[in-house]
Amino acid sequence: MKYLKLALLALVAVFATTSCMDDDWKDPNSETSPYGNNSIQETNVVPIAELKKAYEKNDGSVNYAVRIADGTQIKGVVTGNDVEGNIYSQISIQDDSDKPGIIISVAQGGLSGQLQIGQEVLINVGGLYYGAYRSQPQLGVNYHDTSKDQYYPSRISRVDWQNRFKVIGKPDASKIKVQVFSTNPDASKGELNVADLLDADVAYKYAGCLVTLKGVEFAMGDGKTTLAPEDEGKTLGYGVTRYFKGYDKTNKQIGIRTSCYADFAANLVPQGVVDVTGVLSCYKSSAKYNHTVQLALRRFSDIKASESK
């Protein structure tokens, strides 16, 4: 009887191990992601541009939230994440539509470990809210700021988020289309002028997209100033903006915003003429003000010595 019990226990252990390994046997090439919801199927995918057009408000509201119809899906490639701690509790994705980018607010750290740059993803957005926070378009859950009686999209819970997205294939950063704005634009390459971003229609069209600004120079690139010192950022939401020369004045502002908790927050502001790549956002606290254009770096290496002549 003793040996029979031992044999039965061993048999149970074998079956348990086999059961736990079923997904691995079916997926020897690791095609199935351990993150997200692999059971999601494409049923009602709409272009990001179509989603934005359907739910945006054009009444000058800088904070608002509109519920997205149940069953709605979007699909795109991840362009921004928290790989070096700068883009906090957010990812950005874009597709091939005319206004392709969107920022998604998620209450979770370490998103870069699940969704790498260039990763295609399918997302169920039905029941979420499209809107704006300080005029910056984004997706999230509805949040009511009772002190100001304002609504805007805020962070999706970790559990809800994991049920909403499906990873498709392997990351491929070459899929990302980067819009270039240059101080000396080459129209034959589809480049726009950096100054075009002072036009609100242009700036908000590319809000949420990955862009490169070519041939710019930081106004505070003096070899002493750092990107985001905590003492400076503590009164500014622990983020600091460093503007570019010629775009560092009131009502004419373009620069990069860096979290005081980014891995590169203590790095010196680069000197000389540079090319800067980042996720573009636009902010203003009231409809009566002009917009401020900010780029969020994914990595410090998103700043490079300029290739412009």
Side-chain angles (χ1 to χ4, degrees):
M1 183 61 71
K2 177 181 177 181
Y3 293 114
L4 179 59
K5 288 181 179 179
L6 290 173
L8 287 173
L9 286 172
L11 190 59
V12 169
V14 169
F15 280 120
T17 303
T18 303
S19 177
C20 291
M21 294 293 288
D22 274 350
D23 285 341
D24 289 335
W25 298 131
K26 295 174 184 176
D27 186 26
N29 298 316
S30 299
E31 295 290 336
T32 301
S33 172
Y35 307 110
N37 183 353
N38 291 306
S39 67
I40 298 175
Q41 300 297 317
E42 290 189 33
T43 55
N44 183 29
V45 176
V46 300
I48 291 174
E50 185 178 317
L51 181 84
K52 294 168 76 170
K53 183 177 180 179
Y55 294 100
E56 67 185 359
K57 294 177 69 174
N58 297 305
D59 60 358
S61 300
V62 295
N63 296 294
Y64 71 90
V66 181
R67 189 180 188 278
I68 300 170
D70 292 338
T72 306
Q73 298 175 324
I74 59 174
K75 184 168 68 171
V77 177
V78 175
T79 58
N81 58 23
D82 56 4
V83 63
E84 288 189 7
N86 191 41
I87 300 177
Y88 179 71
S89 293
Q90 292 181 339
I91 63 165
S92 56
I93 71 168
Q94 63 188 59
D95 60 19
D96 293 326
S97 59
D98 183 48
K99 296 180 181 180
I102 192 72
I103 290 172
I104 304 172
S105 186
V106 182
Q108 182 174 345
L111 290 169
S112 60
Q114 301 182 12
L115 296 169
Q116 298 177 42
I117 302 298
Q119 177 64 63
E120 188 174 21
V121 60
L122 173 68
I123 306 172
N124 282 335
V125 295
L128 294 179
Y129 284 74
Y130 174 85
Y133 173 67
R134 293 191 175 183
S135 81
Q136 170 57 42
Q138 61 187 45
L139 286 175
V141 297
N142 194 24
Y143 177 78
H144 183 205
D145 182 346
T146 55
S147 65
K148 299 178 181 178
D149 194 25
Q150 296 177 335
Y151 294 85
Y152 54 83
S154 188
R155 297 169 186 167
I156 306 164
S157 74
R158 180 191 302 240
V159 173
D160 189 14
W161 171 244
Q162 289 295 320
N163 285 325
R164 286 184 175 274
F165 76 90
K166 178 181 181 179
V167 170
I168 302 173
K170 302 291 185 182
D172 182 359
S174 68
K175 294 180 179 178
I176 301 173
K177 295 183 178 179
V178 183
Q179 177 60 52
V180 175
F181 293 83
S182 176
T183 53
N184 184 27
D186 185 341
S188 67
K189 295 181 180 179
E191 296 179 355
L192 300 175
N193 197 303
V194 172
D196 291 338
L197 290 170
L198 298 176
D199 183 326
D201 289 338
V202 176
Y204 283 96
K205 175 179 179 178
Y206 291 101
C209 295
L210 192 67
V211 305
T212 295
L213 306 188
K214 289 176 60 176
V216 293
E217 189 172 357
F218 285 98
M220 298 185 72
D222 55 11
K224 296 179 289 185
T225 303
T226 57
L227 287 172
E230 189 169 340
D231 285 347
E232 185 176 345
K234 64 184 178 182
T235 59
L236 302 168
Y238 289 96
V240 177
T241 303
R242 299 301 186 206
Y243 297 102
F244 301 116
K245 284 185 178 179
Y247 301 99
D248 56 338
K249 305 298 182 184
T250 302
N251 300 329
K252 191 180 180 183
Q253 297 177 314
I254 304 174
I256 66 168
R257 184 167 175 82
T258 304
S259 167
C260 296
Y261 303 112
D263 294 353
F264 48 85
N267 288 18
L268 292 174
V269 175
Q271 296 178 282
V273 181
V274 293
D275 296 342
V276 182
T277 298
V279 179
L280 188 146
S281 60
C282 302
Y283 288 96
K284 55 183 176 180
S285 57
S286 171
K288 66 181 179 180
Y289 299 125
N290 288 341
H291 64 287
T292 295
V293 175
Q294 300 174 341
L295 268 66
L297 306 181
R298 302 158 306 169
R299 303 169 290 248
F300 186 67
S301 59
D302 283 335
I303 302 177
K304 302 179 185 299
S306 184
E307 297 179 356
S308 301
K309 295 181 180 180

